[in-house]
Amino acid sequence: MADKKSKPEAKPEAKPEAVIRATGLCKTFVVGFIPVAKLARRDAREVRPELDQKVLPRQVEAVRQLSFEVRAGEIFGLLGPNGSGKTTTIKMMMGLIFPTAGKIELFGETVPNVAVKRRVGYLPENPTFYDYLRADEFLELSARLCGVDKKIRRARIPRLLERVGLTEALNRPLRKFSKGMLQRIGLAQALIHDPDLVVLDEPLSGLDPLGRKDVRDLISELRSQGKTVIFSSHILSDVEMICDRVGIVVRGELRDIGKLDELLSARVTETEVVLEETPASVMDMAREKGWSALQKGDRLRIRLPGETDPGEILRKALDDGARVVSVVPLTESLEDLFVREARKA
């Protein structure tokens, strides 16, 4: 009797390849010099003239032992307060500055690498343009610099201008563009050569709510096309909407990295109770308990600490004739996580 064939074991799902890999990344800047004599006088009682002409560099450590990966096909958000090292990290990624220690790889190749750069689209935080050019002329120049074929760029430029909402400004020189419009043309030039990796430093800066939504939609479209996007931002609500993973950098160090649902605590931090037709007795009770209470129009919003049972205030409200609009438990937000990490010593 023939043996029954055993079913082959299911192979574990392979993780997407790392498009960006930073390992032990450090960057120290020299921002001035300190006279050696000044240092010597702190401990010595006598003046030493031979030290007057000698100086030591004054250094600032912008990035410290930063290690992370960005996987193919994901949107990765790089977060951190001002001066945390986000832009420095992105500039090292683009080969514009060089690390003091460690290394950074794109598509498995150590930066800088000309062949790899052809696969990357980049929008810096404060881009500078040839302001006498029109939008289509600037994109034509960008496409030619990237080696895009003439036939392809003629078809791609109008589509990109329409996608970033600049078709009506086609004949206007860039010097007459608003900050938001310049941000849009910057996005278009980052995409003109159809890159596999898109690196955006504060892409939502200077945009109105409609512009921010357009950029969010565009970034989501890039993911659906199989492209990888890494961007830095201070607009945390936008990051929560579109990022697959985030990394939080504080004082040059990576404090947290992962998916938002893994990083954020599921613990209820507050409970919001919204009431209408609320008598003064309910407001008085909230104040006595030390709860946050805000009256806006005919609605009263009361914030209860996470461990507080809302039953007490609800019974009081109903007994005194108020109407309950909603009771919403609030869990930790990305802003809560960001502030907590930024305030750590």
Side-chain angles (χ1 to χ4, degrees), residues 65-85:
Q65 294 296 326
L66 199 65
S67 298
F68 67 94
E69 289 185 355
V70 178
R71 300 161 191 158
E74 76 174 349
I75 300 174
F76 186 89
L78 194 62
L79 312 180
N82 291 330
S84 61

Side-chain angles (χ1 to χ4, degrees), residues 32-306:
F33 296 93
I34 306 173
V36 175
K38 183 177 180 181
L39 296 175
R41 289 183 193 124
R42 293 176 183 174
D43 302 316
R45 295 181 180 179
E46 60 183 45
V47 177
R48 300 175 61 186
E50 70 274 12
L51 298 179
D52 287 345
Q53 302 302 318
K54 296 182 180 180
V55 294
L56 290 175
R58 178 184 285 128
Q59 299 179 335
V60 171
E61 199 173 13
V63 175
R64 307 173 185 176
Q65 294 296 326
L66 199 65
S67 298
F68 67 94
E69 289 185 355
V70 178
R71 300 161 191 158
E74 76 174 349
I75 300 174
F76 186 89
L78 194 62
L79 312 180
N82 291 330
S84 61
K86 303 187 303 299
T87 295
T88 298
T89 300
I90 287 176
K91 286 182 176 180
M92 287 190 284
M93 191 184 304
M94 298 307 301
L96 298 175
I97 59 177
F98 298 96
T100 307
K103 68 176 182 178
I104 189 160
E105 297 175 322
L106 301 183
F107 301 102
E109 299 291 338
T110 302
V111 174
N113 183 296
V114 175
V116 165
K117 282 189 174 183
R118 296 182 184 276
R119 301 177 64 184
V120 182
Y122 172 50
L123 174 63
E125 181 180 10
N126 297 304
T128 301
F129 304 103
Y130 296 105
D131 61 3
Y132 55 86
L133 295 177
R134 300 194 314 265
D136 58 339
E137 292 173 333
F138 175 66
L139 292 184
E140 173 74 15
L141 173 63
S142 301
R144 291 177 66 181
L145 289 173
C146 292
V148 180
D149 181 77
K150 182 178 180 179
K151 185 177 180 180
I152 295 175
R153 64 179 184 255
R154 284 189 173 179
R156 188 175 293 166
I157 288 172
R159 289 203 307 269
L160 266 178
L161 287 172
E162 181 179 4
R163 184 62 193 85
V164 299
L166 289 177
T167 303
E168 294 182 0
L170 183 63
N171 297 316
R172 193 184 309 176
L174 298 186
R175 63 173 170 268
K176 294 186 178 181
F177 276 26
S178 66
K179 180 174 172 54
M181 293 170 70
L182 289 174
Q183 199 75 349
R184 290 169 183 264
I185 195 66
L187 279 167
Q189 68 81 28
L191 302 174
I192 192 64
H193 57 300
D194 192 28
D196 298 314
L197 169 64
V198 182
V199 180
L200 308 173
D201 196 357
E202 296 287 350
L204 302 165
S205 174
L207 296 175
D208 57 24
L210 181 59
R212 281 168 41 206
K213 183 183 184 307
D214 288 343
V215 172
R216 289 198 308 265
D217 292 344
L218 178 57
I219 291 175
S220 297
E221 286 176 19
L222 293 173
R223 175 176 51 191
S224 68
Q225 296 167 12
K227 301 184 185 301
T228 306
V229 181
I230 177 172
F231 74 96
S232 67
S233 179
H234 288 127
I235 305 174
L236 301 182
S237 58
D238 292 326
V239 173
E240 284 188 282
M241 287 183 192
I242 61 175
C243 283
D244 299 304
R245 292 192 306 136
V246 299
I248 299 178
V249 181
V250 179
R251 298 185 185 92
E253 298 177 343
L254 187 67
R255 292 288 180 84
D256 263 319
I257 186 169
K259 296 180 179 179
L260 284 173
D261 56 359
E262 296 171 351
L263 296 178
L264 301 180
S265 170
R267 178 178 61 86
V268 175
T269 57
E270 287 183 311
T271 301
E272 183 183 68
V273 177
V274 181
L275 307 171
E276 282 186 350
E277 302 171 8
T278 313
S281 58
V282 177
M283 174 71 85
D284 293 340
M285 177 183 177
R287 288 172 177 168
E288 288 174 6
K289 297 285 188 178
W291 299 333
S292 170
L294 176 65
Q295 183 79 47
K296 190 173 182 180
D298 61 348
R299 290 196 171 187
L300 175 65
R301 295 179 182 271
I302 302 174
R303 288 286 184 96
L304 311 177

